[in-house]
Amino acid sequence: MEVKNVKAFGTASAEEEELKTLAIQRRTATAHDVEIEILYCGICHSDLHSARNEWHNTIYPIVPGHEIVGRVTNIGGHVKKFKVGDLAAVGCMVDSCRECEYCKEGLEQFCDPGNTLTFNSPDKYLGGQTYGGYSQSIVVDENYVLSVPENLDLAGTAPLLCAGITTYSPLRHWKVGPGSKVGVVGIGGLGHMGIKLAKAMGAHVVVFTTSVSKTEDAKRLGADEVVLSTDPDQMSKYAKSLNFILDCVSAQHNIDAYLNLLKVDGALALVGAPMEPLPVTSFSLILGRRSFAGSNIGGIAETQEMLDFCAAHNITSDIELIGVDQVNEAYERLLKGDVKYRFVIDMASLK
C-alpha cells in the first residue's frame, strides 16, 4: 500500500503539553476510500483529554480531531457515494466490524468488537494508530464519510459531527417532538446544540444553568424558559413537569435534583461525561417509573440524518474560528469554559 506524508498538528508525548507541527503518513485511496482535504476541524474536550493522556489510553504520537469538514480530492475506483469536489465530513469513527448486530442495525457507535475511532485507534491499514483532523487531509472508507449539505456554513458545521450528533441522537431516541417538554442541563458545546435541536423538533425547551449571566444567551439559542439550578425555589416549580431531560454537564452534579423534575415515565439521558460516579437515590427512579440513561454519538445513517435536519432548519454550531497556532491557547481557555460555544480550526492555517 502506498503512503504519503501529510502535515499535521499534534503531540509526541504526554510530557509535551503543547501541540506542534508533525509529519504523519496517510494511505493513498484504496478501492472504497475517499480522500478529503480538511477545511475545518472542531475542537472537542475529548481532544484535550486524549492529547494529555487524561484517560490513560493514549498512544503517541497523537493527532486529535473528530469534527472534520472538507472537500473530496480523490476517490477509489469503487466509490459510489462521492465524487471529486464534493463537500464531505468525518465524525468520531472511521470504521467498525460491519458484522455484529449493532453494525447491521446502523448503530456502529455500539459496534460489539469496537469501532475504529478517528484518532488514537488501531489503524488496520498502516499499523500504529489512526490520526485525526488536525491535519491537511484524511482518507476514510466511503461508508463512514458524510455528505455536507451545500447551504450550511462549513466552519459552523464541523462541531455537528460530535456535539451535534451527541445531542441529536438521544432527542430522536426518546421521541422528542411537538408536545414534549424538554429540559437541557448546561449551556456549553453540547448544551447549546441540544437547545437548538430540541426547539427545531418542536419541543418546549427549559434550560437549567448555574450562571445567571447565561439567561439571555439561552433564550437567543431557543430556550422558552431558563431556570437557575442553584435556586431551590425556581427548581421546585418544575417538579414532575418534564418529559425528557438532556444532561450535558461533565462535572459532578446532583442527578436526583433533575430526576425529580421528570413526569411519570420520563427519562434523563446523560451525554456529559463526569469523571466521578454520580450517586442516585432509588426513590427518584422508583416513584415515577423514571429512567436514568446515557447516550453515545450516533450511527452513520443517523449522523447523515442529523446533518440533513440541520440543513432544513439552518442550524449550525456557534463557534470561534481560530488558526492552528492558537490551538494551545484554545485548550487552556477550554479548561476555563471560556468559549461560546465551540472552537473550530481553519485548517488553511496549517499550510
Side-chain angles (χ1 to χ4, degrees):
M1 181 178 295
E2 293 185 16
V3 298
K4 64 179 182 179
N5 289 326
V6 169
K7 188 184 287 186
F9 205 71
T11 183
S13 73
E15 288 68 45
E16 294 180 19
E17 281 282 296
E18 294 203 341
L19 280 67
K20 61 185 181 183
T21 303
L22 302 173
I24 61 170
Q25 289 191 326
R26 297 286 195 198
R27 69 183 185 270
T28 55
T30 61
H32 294 281
D33 283 339
V34 175
E35 182 176 351
I36 301 166
E37 176 194 6
I38 300 173
L39 302 176
Y40 299 100
C41 186
I43 293 179
C44 176
H45 212 116
S46 60
D47 296 352
L48 188 156
H49 288 309
S50 297
R52 298 183 177 180
N53 197 26
E54 292 175 357
W55 290 334
H56 309 293
N57 65 350
T58 302
I59 305 295
Y60 292 94
I62 184 172
V63 175
H66 59 207
E67 299 179 344
I68 299 166
V69 170
R71 195 172 293 279
V72 176
T73 54
N74 191 24
I75 59 173
H78 293 170
V79 170
K80 294 181 174 62
K81 298 178 182 178
F82 295 90
K83 64 182 186 300
V84 172
D86 285 351
L87 294 173
V90 177
C92 300
M93 56 186 164
V94 292
D95 207 349
S96 65
C97 82
R98 314 184 195 204
E99 296 295 330
C100 72
E101 60 178 306
Y102 303 113
C103 284
K104 288 179 178 178
E105 289 177 23
L107 299 171
E108 298 94 343
Q109 73 271 36
F110 302 123
C111 175
D112 208 13
N115 51 44
T116 301
L117 299 178
T118 306
F119 66 89
N120 198 44
S121 259
D123 185 335
K124 71 180 184 183
Y125 295 94
L126 300 181
Q129 301 299 107
T130 54
Y131 295 124
Y134 298 8
S135 56
Q136 290 177 304
S137 64
I138 192 167
V139 179
V140 179
D141 185 293
E142 66 172 325
N143 292 300
Y144 298 81
V145 178
L146 292 310
S147 179
V148 178
E150 292 279 351
N151 67 306
L152 289 177
D153 172 75
L154 296 185
T157 296
L160 300 183
L161 279 303
C162 178
I165 187 59
T166 296
T167 48
Y168 181 90
S169 186
L171 291 169
R172 269 286 182 256
H173 181 77
W174 276 277
K175 297 178 172 58
V176 165
S180 301
K181 195 168 184 179
V182 173
V184 177
V185 185
I187 313 174
L190 293 174
H192 95 285
M193 287 306 310
I195 297 167
K196 291 185 179 191
L197 291 166
K199 186 66 178 175
M201 290 174 182
H204 181 93
V205 181
V206 183
V207 170
F208 296 87
T209 178
T210 59
S211 305
V212 177
S213 61
K214 290 188 176 181
T215 299
E216 289 308 311
D217 219 28
K219 290 180 178 177
R220 176 186 65 82
L221 293 165
D224 295 289
E225 302 176 64
V226 183
V227 180
L228 187 63
S229 58
T230 54
D231 184 334
D233 290 335
Q234 288 190 40
M235 291 289 282
S236 66
K237 293 176 184 176
Y238 291 85
K240 303 179 181 178
S241 69
L242 303 177
N243 303 103
F244 179 73
I245 295 175
L246 185 69
D247 188 336
C248 304
V249 176
S250 290
Q252 184 71 242
H253 58 294
N254 185 352
I255 290 293
D256 283 324
Y258 294 104
L259 288 172
N260 291 324
L261 305 183
L262 291 170
K263 300 177 79 166
V264 171
D265 288 330
L268 183 152
L270 189 67
V271 292
M275 297 302 289
E276 300 298 322
L278 297 173
V280 174
T281 303
S282 58
F283 286 106
S284 296
L285 300 171
I286 291 169
L287 294 180
R289 198 164 61 189
R290 301 174 179 123
S291 301
F292 178 31
S295 185
N296 175 33
I297 61 170
I300 297 299
E302 188 175 51
T303 304
Q304 187 64 60
E305 178 188 302
M306 177 273 305
L307 287 171
D308 295 340
F309 179 89
C310 287
H313 295 273
N314 199 29
I315 294 172
T316 54
S317 182
D318 286 23
I319 68 161
E320 183 175 333
L321 191 63
I322 62 170
V324 75
D325 60 340
Q326 297 171 279
V327 167
N328 292 304
E329 177 192 347
Y331 274 20
E332 294 307 315
R333 287 179 55 194
L334 196 59
L335 289 172
K336 301 171 187 173
D338 177 25
V339 57
K340 285 187 175 179
Y341 282 97
R342 208 72 160 184
F343 288 115
V344 174
I345 309 166
D346 181 348
M347 295 312 303
S349 62
L350 185 60
K351 297 175 183 177

